[in-house]
Amino acid sequence: MPLKKRLFAFAVSILFLLIDTSVIPFTGLNTAYVPRLSLLSVITIALLAGRTQGILYGAITGILTDITLTIPTGLVSALYTIAGFLAGWIGRKMRVRILSSIVAPIVSMLVYELTMLVYYFMQAQTVAASQALAMLARVGIGTVLIQPLYLLYNLVLKPKRSRYAR
């Protein structure tokens, strides 16, 4: 990707990270149903640019998220990196491109959410059914939100040639 496109993707990821950590907690919304916008950004970049770029943006955004959150350092950065890889890999392996923007977010976000659910279970030794339902709601809402993000990123990043074309 050219430098301008990389800077755009990085700037949007950082903007979403700031919204995740500085704006959403203070809006009064029920944050149990608000997906991580920075994770959605990483998944969308990975779908468009491939798994290598997904890993790179996932690692950078994850490290910055680790710095701003109070959970153990490295957990979110590892999960964002894995999500970026999974989204890029699924986007490349699926033959029907329109389905990849649906399947990749579901799989990537489920890996993130299930790992966080296990982490919270290990901390509190209990998981309520409402937490599991909120997790599934965040995956569904995130999948819906990725669709316009995918179209916007595709307009701006515009790959010159598709690595998936045959």
Side-chain angles (χ1 to χ4, degrees):
M1 261 194 306
L3 183 61
K4 287 192 290 189
K5 293 178 182 181
R6 286 183 187 191
L7 287 176
F8 169 78
F10 183 71
V12 171
S13 295
I14 297 302
L15 175 70
F16 283 161
L17 172 67
L18 291 173
I19 291 171
D20 278 345
T21 58
S22 301
V23 176
I24 290 177
F26 302 107
T27 59
L29 293 172
N30 186 358
T31 57
Y33 300 110
V34 178
R36 294 241 172 242
L37 296 176
S38 53
L39 179 62
L40 300 180
S41 178
V42 167
I43 292 170
T44 307
I45 291 170
L47 275 170
L48 286 170
R51 55 184 184 235
T52 305
Q53 294 294 320
I55 290 171
L56 175 69
Y57 285 100
I60 291 170
T61 308
I63 289 170
L64 292 174
T65 305
D66 275 336
I67 292 170
T68 59
L69 295 178
T70 57
I71 60 177
T73 305
L75 178 64
V76 173
S77 60
L79 290 174
Y80 275 32
T81 304
I82 292 168
F85 171 78
L86 282 174
W89 184 74
I90 290 170
R92 183 172 188 177
K93 293 296 180 184
M94 290 199 68
R95 298 210 184 269
V96 181
R97 294 287 299 152
I98 200 158
L99 289 179
S100 67
S101 67
I102 297 170
V103 173
I106 291 173
V107 171
S108 300
M109 290 178 67
L110 272 177
V111 167
Y112 173 81
E113 292 289 346
L114 286 173
T115 306
M116 293 304 286
L117 195 66
V118 168
Y119 169 73
Y120 292 135
F121 174 75
M122 292 172 64
Q123 291 294 316
Q125 299 298 319
T126 182
V127 172
S130 63
Q131 288 176 315
L133 289 175
M135 174 196 74
L136 291 175
R138 281 192 302 270
V139 170
I141 293 168
T143 303
V144 170
L145 287 176
I146 279 187
Q147 305 314 311
L149 269 180
Y150 182 83
L151 295 174
L152 174 69
Y153 278 35
N154 196 24
L155 277 175
V156 175
L157 298 179
K158 283 187 208 169
K160 287 186 180 178
R161 65 175 178 82
S162 174
R163 66 189 318 192
Y164 309 108
R166 294 184 182 232

